[in-house]
Amino acid sequence: MSLSRSPSPNKGGGWSSPGLAPRFDNPSGRSSPRKTYQLNGGFGTKDVTWATAKARSDEVNGYPSFSTKNNGFFSRHARQISKSLPSFVKGAEKEKLGRGRWLPNSGSRTGRILGFLGRTIWRFRLRLLVVLSFILAIVIFYVTPMHRAYRRASVLGGGSKFVIILAANQGGGVMEWKGPREWAIERDSVKNKKKYAKKWGYNLEIVDMSTKKRYAHEWRESWEKVDTIRNSMRKYPKAQWFWWLDLNTFVMEPSYSLQKQVFNDLSSNTYRDINDYNPLKIAHPFNNTQLDPGSLSANGDGKASSIDLIIPQDCAGFNLGSFFIRRSTWTDRLLDVWWDPVGYEQKHMEWEHKEQDALEHLYINQPWIRTHTAFIPQRKINSFPKGACGENGEDTRIHYREADRDFVVNMAGCEWGRDCWGEMYNFRELSNKLNRTPWEKFKDGISDRVKAMRAKPAEKTDEKS
């Protein structure tokens, strides 16, 4: 193999190529041509570019270059074939700018828009990364059980401070046997409370009333609320508030938390003066001058921290289908007096509503009961359907309003001439409809339109016939 350049004969080094030495005079012994950017149109005509010098060096006889002259048969045909192939970028300048890459729709409006978006995203990539990370964290928080753990933690959501007590006569009681409709009501009610308690991290205590047969000897089966509350307080020693719910209740708005609905602003959501709504016409406050100032005041001491019992009132007085009671020394005393068998033996024949009438009696006659009792508007936690406290359901204080999205509905007294299962089913379906997700609303909207389109031809056919 011949070399295109010979070793330098100069003592100081350097090299020279035959045919080029006479045109470059370099006293340093280095005869390699220097690269210059001046062509024939420049300032000097004697300057030679490196490419020109290299080409002339290749043409010297006896010193062939490694590169070919593309004069062979296959080289000429390969060049012709390559020229006939389609090229993505035309022109030498475009080749240099595009570097041989294919750019989709580079000259169209879509290409310019995509290019602008790409440059913008790259420019704000750090901010975009922060936003995407934040969105991903929110999705992970709500998809995983993390949000339930947050809502349940006492120092965060505070869900563990609340206990829902549901009286479910699951195994049949002493008073009566259960039929299929009663079992269906119980199934829907229990499922509704479980879903709500799980969503907000509350404790749920489902009481099987079949275990309360120990009251059968005194016919006291409907008085077990007091004993059940006391047992729940023992079972959940760290809980503060206990919410009693009858079986015929239904949580219509599971998106409402107890904190937001009631306890975050207890003073505004409750009232201490029963004269604001007093269907029993109870004289309030006491006028005995020997009592302390709190007992003589219509609003007690006016502090939310002193409220230990929260009850709604319907058209007939106190209603214990849905009420709150707080753990305290006062509550222990109340439960003792409320469950006193002596009072029961003396008054149970007069108290038609049993433990409810007993509490009304205590409120009327005992000043210390009033100082820690507050009332809550009924529709906050215990709305009635039509047929309860009036056939038309027009009382804005009592009856459920779909437009206002009431929290809980209580089918009180449905077993006396009304259809309990029918009411439970209707309110369950209404709750599902009101609490649909945007995607469910979209699907239902399409389904309704399709049904309407199918109904029109059927109506036209009936008219023709």
Side-chain angles (χ1 to χ4, degrees):
M1 179 183 296
S2 61
L3 298 175
S4 62
R5 294 173 184 171
S6 62
S8 174
N10 299 326
K11 184 178 181 180
W15 57 272
S16 63
S17 296
L20 294 179
R23 310 193 71 175
F24 295 92
D25 187 10
N26 192 347
S28 64
R30 184 175 181 269
S31 59
S32 175
R34 296 179 180 176
K35 183 179 180 181
T36 178
Y37 295 96
Q38 294 180 352
L39 302 175
N40 294 332
F43 296 101
T45 58
K46 294 182 180 181
D47 294 333
V48 182
T49 63
W50 173 257
T52 305
K54 182 70 168 56
R56 292 184 178 181
S57 177
D58 293 338
E59 292 176 355
V60 177
N61 296 328
Y63 295 93
S65 173
F66 288 109
S67 61
T68 63
K69 298 291 292 183
N70 294 328
N71 294 324
F73 173 80
F74 292 103
S75 299
R76 289 196 303 272
H77 285 76
R79 185 168 62 254
Q80 293 176 0
I81 294 174
S82 64
K83 288 182 178 180
S84 65
L85 294 176
S87 60
F88 294 102
V89 180
K90 297 181 179 179
E93 296 300 325
K94 292 184 177 180
E95 175 67 21
K96 292 180 181 179
L97 294 175
R99 298 184 183 273
R101 293 189 295 264
W102 177 69
L103 301 177
N105 300 325
S106 58
S108 65
R109 179 179 298 178
T110 304
R112 291 194 298 270
I113 293 175
L114 293 177
F116 173 76
L117 292 177
R119 291 191 299 271
T120 303
I121 292 173
W122 179 254
R123 181 180 178 183
F124 297 100
R125 59 189 181 277
L126 294 179
R127 300 177 185 177
L128 184 62
L129 180 61
V130 172
V131 173
L132 293 178
S133 300
F134 180 73
I135 295 175
L136 180 62
I138 293 177
V139 172
I140 293 175
F141 179 79
Y142 283 101
V143 171
T144 63
M146 291 177 60
H147 68 285
R148 289 196 291 269
Y150 171 85
R151 290 171 176 173
R152 181 171 177 77
S154 58
V155 295
L156 298 175
S160 60
K161 298 179 181 179
F162 299 91
V163 178
I164 301 175
I165 305 175
L166 179 63
N169 195 7
Q170 295 178 349
V174 178
M175 304 289 289
E176 60 183 8
W177 292 99
K178 296 171 67 69
R181 298 173 71 87
E182 287 76 16
W183 282 111
I185 293 172
E186 179 178 307
R187 182 176 60 251
D188 283 355
S189 181
V190 171
K191 182 180 179 180
N192 173 251
K193 309 308 184 299
K194 285 183 176 179
K195 181 179 179 180
Y196 180 73
K198 182 179 180 180
K199 178 179 179 64
W200 294 105
Y202 303 143
N203 300 296
L204 177 61
E205 181 68 10
I206 301 177
V207 183
D208 186 354
M209 293 306 171
S210 64
T211 62
K212 299 299 181 182
K213 294 183 179 181
R214 55 181 172 154
Y215 308 120
H217 69 283
E218 54 181 346
W219 207 253
R220 201 172 180 176
E221 187 181 1
S222 297
W223 282 70
E224 67 276 354
K225 286 184 180 179
V226 181
D227 196 29
T228 301
I229 293 173
R230 191 190 298 275
N231 293 334
S232 298
M233 288 185 174
R234 295 194 190 103
K235 184 175 181 179
Y236 302 94
K238 296 183 179 180
Q240 295 182 4
W241 283 97
F242 296 80
W243 184 20
W244 178 277
L245 286 174
D246 281 351
L247 186 64
N248 289 333
T249 58
F250 198 88
V251 179
M252 296 294 294
E253 299 295 334
S255 61
Y256 297 176
S257 66
L258 295 179
Q259 295 92 317
K260 182 179 180 180
Q261 183 72 4
V262 180
F263 295 98
N264 285 349
D265 194 0
L266 195 57
S267 299
S268 300
N269 292 324
T270 59
Y271 59 95
R272 308 287 284 272
D273 188 359
I274 195 175
N275 294 314
D276 290 350
Y277 182 64
N278 193 358
L280 294 176
K281 308 300 181 183
I282 298 174
H284 182 75
F286 288 99
N287 56 9
N288 189 341
T289 57
Q290 297 180 352
L291 298 175
D292 60 277
S295 299
L296 295 175
S297 173
N299 295 307
D301 60 3
K303 298 179 180 179
S305 58
S306 65
I307 298 177
D308 293 318
L309 179 64
I310 304 174
I311 53 178
Q313 294 188 92
D314 58 24
C315 58
F318 293 6
N319 187 284
L320 300 182
S322 172
F323 71 95
F324 295 97
I325 190 167
R326 186 171 72 93
R327 181 194 303 276
S328 66
T329 304
W330 179 91
T331 300
D332 291 337
R333 183 182 177 189
L334 170 65
L335 296 177
D336 287 339
V337 177
W338 198 357
W339 187 249
D340 186 5
V342 176
Y344 167 79
E345 290 293 342
Q346 294 177 353
K347 293 289 187 178
H348 73 278
M349 296 300 294
E350 302 176 16
W351 292 338
E352 180 182 358
H353 297 96
K354 303 175 178 67
E355 79 288 340
Q356 191 167 283
D357 289 343
L359 183 61
E360 291 175 351
H361 177 80
L362 292 174
Y363 184 87
I364 293 172
N365 296 282
Q366 300 293 333
W368 63 275
I369 298 291
R370 301 190 187 188
T371 56
H372 291 265
T373 301
F375 301 94
I376 189 169
Q378 183 172 355
R379 288 178 55 198
K380 273 280 186 183
I381 62 169
N382 196 38
S383 298
F384 275 5
K386 293 181 180 180
C389 282
E391 295 295 333
N392 297 325
E394 298 176 350
D395 194 331
T396 57
R397 285 179 173 267
I398 296 173
H399 294 105
Y400 175 82
R401 291 287 184 273
E402 177 182 345
D404 296 335
R405 305 290 291 268
D406 290 351
F407 180 35
V408 176
V409 65
N410 181 7
M411 283 71 75
C414 63
E415 61 272 13
W416 306 104
R418 304 201 327 260
D419 185 3
C420 293
W421 165 241
E423 292 183 3
M424 177 70 74
Y425 175 82
N426 291 333
F427 280 111
R428 184 193 69 188
E429 295 300 311
L430 178 60
S431 177
N432 293 337
K433 178 182 176 181
L434 295 176
N435 292 279
R436 291 175 298 173
T437 62
W439 174 245
E440 291 173 340
K441 292 180 180 179
F442 175 75
K443 292 191 299 182
D444 291 344
I446 294 178
S447 178
D448 294 340
R449 291 174 185 173
V450 172
K451 291 179 180 178
M453 294 174 61
R454 291 179 177 177
K456 289 181 181 180
E459 292 177 358
K460 293 180 180 180
T461 303
D462 295 340
E463 292 177 357
K464 292 180 179 180
S465 59

